[in-house]
Amino acid sequence: MFPSRFDYSAPDSLDEALATLGQRADETKVLAGGQSLIPLLKLRFAAPATLVDINRIPGLDVLEESNGHLRIGTLARHNQLAADSLVGRRYPTIASAAPQIADPLVRNLGTIGGSLAHGDPAGDWGSVMLALNAEVVVRGPTGERRIPIDDFLVDIFTTSLNEDEIVTEVLVPQPEGSFGGAYLKLERKVGDFATVGVAVHLELDGDTIARAGLGLTAVGSRNIKPTNAENALGGNKCSDELFAEAARLAAEAADPVSDVRGPATYKRAVVEAYVKRGLAEARDQARARAGRT
Amino acid sequence: MHLQLTVNGNPREVDGAWEGESLLYVLRERLGLPGSKNACEQGECGSCSVYLDGVLVCSCLVLAAQAAGRDVVTVEGLAENGELHPIQKDFVEAGAVQCGFCTPGLIVATHELLARNPRPTDPEIREALAGNLCRCTGYEKILDAVRAAAVRNSRA
């Protein structure tokens, strides 16, 4: 199984990568971890004339807190995020999702930027970043722009990234107060795409929800942000009734299709159960954090 | 392209490779190392598992060009002086091999697991080998082999 012919370039600077990309942007693909793109090339679902490999550009795997954000470089591998101690301490939704992506081999090469730019509605990072209100930083010929994740994700395999732009970073707001989060994923077997995934992030002030973020995986043509559910939670005190109501609203926002992974009604029911469960887990984490300070 | 890389500790050079062919193809068809197996070619099955700069990867999902200047270790690189690696012996003794097609990938993946976690628990073994599919054994004998290797580690 071979890709169709392409020219390959592996620049060692972002400027050079952007210049190559700019020459024939509509015929060029950017190669990050390659764990989705290379299969697509082999199946000839993608047949670019040029491939720009960004893996030799230094500095694109940054992972640090600065200016109120966690900066995640586009080349941060899933496994790097799963193992990072700062992420483990401060970003439970990310820490929970990372080890559930694909399988260990794929996690060793797959990147957060590549995954988001791929725009797969069954991708896990889109939901996590929706729950966390992240922004995607992209660079193009005219400079840099920061795109809220909800505007970045457009439709199935479609993002608002222009053809001549490259994702460089993901910016996640630092959590405030006592916080908790989780990613719940149902898969038929390890390495399969999610049947349903749910990302949850909560910030509590006492027992009042200062911020609630949710994201839904594989139940629509893109990762879904159930804003009605988030709004129902914000400003209210934690309770099982409130969580049940938010879960009902999130299930309403889901738009799954029946397929080999299950009927739509089942997937909607899983969304409801997982949102309820995820909120309870995030609340318990937040309370435990509050208890420690 | 002219490709230079290190394979199993030896500098190797390949002429006439195409940048877009896989590292797996380079290993098997251009360097005569058929240990890494070519099955799904989609990163699903793990039968092509190798180390790339010390990291366990599917060699079918690495382009030849990406391997330039890198350090690759295949299953052939684990045995020394014509002797099977102890993990390979454990697989043989546990009867963890039937058709054998998944075995090289599982051996490399087990080697990687035990290098970072010499006494893994059963869930840790299952997690670490989750990307390596076997269609014959039902995995129980493979788990036996990895447990045996771990016990051997604890005696060493």
Side-chain angles (χ1 to χ4, degrees), chain A residues 1 5 39 42 56 107-108, chain B residues 41-42 56 60 68 127:
Chain A
M1 218 187 257
R5 289 273 149 178
K42 289 185 182 183
R56 292 185 191 257
R107 286 198 293 275
N108 278 341
Chain B
E41 297 197 57
Q42 295 285 306
L56 186 72
C60 75
E127 174 59 30

Side-chain angles (χ1 to χ4, degrees), chain A residues 90 174-180 202-206 210 286 289-290 293:
Chain A
R90 304 257 298 150
Q174 290 181 22
E176 291 179 11
S178 47
F179 56 89
L202 278 186
E203 293 175 17
L204 300 186
D205 179 6
R289 274 197 179 86
T293 55

Side-chain angles (χ1 to χ4, degrees), chain A residues 221-268:
Chain A
S221 63
R222 45 156 280 190
N223 299 93
I224 291 171
K225 186 170 180 66
T227 42
N228 285 349
E230 292 177 342
N231 293 339
L233 291 162
N236 286 311
K237 280 198 182 311
C238 290
S239 74
D240 290 345
E241 295 71 31
L242 179 67
F243 288 176
E245 172 62 6
R248 196 185 60 74
L249 290 168
E252 237 172 60
D255 185 23
V257 293
S258 299
D259 61 14
V260 65
R261 295 183 177 81
T265 47
Y266 168 66
K267 294 181 184 180
R268 215 185 277 276

Side-chain angles (χ1 to χ4, degrees), chain B residues 124-153:
Chain B
E124 287 169 343
I125 298 172
R126 287 173 183 272
E127 174 59 30
L129 302 185
N132 295 79
L133 303 184
C134 171
R135 300 292 76 184
C136 306
T137 66
Y139 299 102
E140 284 306 321
K141 300 290 183 188
I142 294 169
L143 286 173
D144 287 346
V146 181
R147 288 186 200 112
V151 168
R152 197 170 30 68
N153 272 344

Side-chain angles (χ1 to χ4, degrees), chain B residues 7-27:
Chain B
V7 181
N8 298 330
N10 302 312
R12 301 292 299 261
E13 298 193 21
V14 177
D15 276 313
W18 174 49
E19 288 90 340
E21 65 195 40
S22 68
L23 169 61
L24 175 63
Y25 186 86
V26 170
L27 293 169

Side-chain angles (χ1 to χ4, degrees), chain A residues 190-214:
Chain A
V190 168
D192 190 20
F193 290 103
T195 303
V196 172
V198 170
V200 179
H201 173 71
L202 278 186
E203 293 175 17
L204 300 186
D205 179 6
D207 217 27
T208 300
I209 299 170
R211 206 176 84 65
L214 296 170

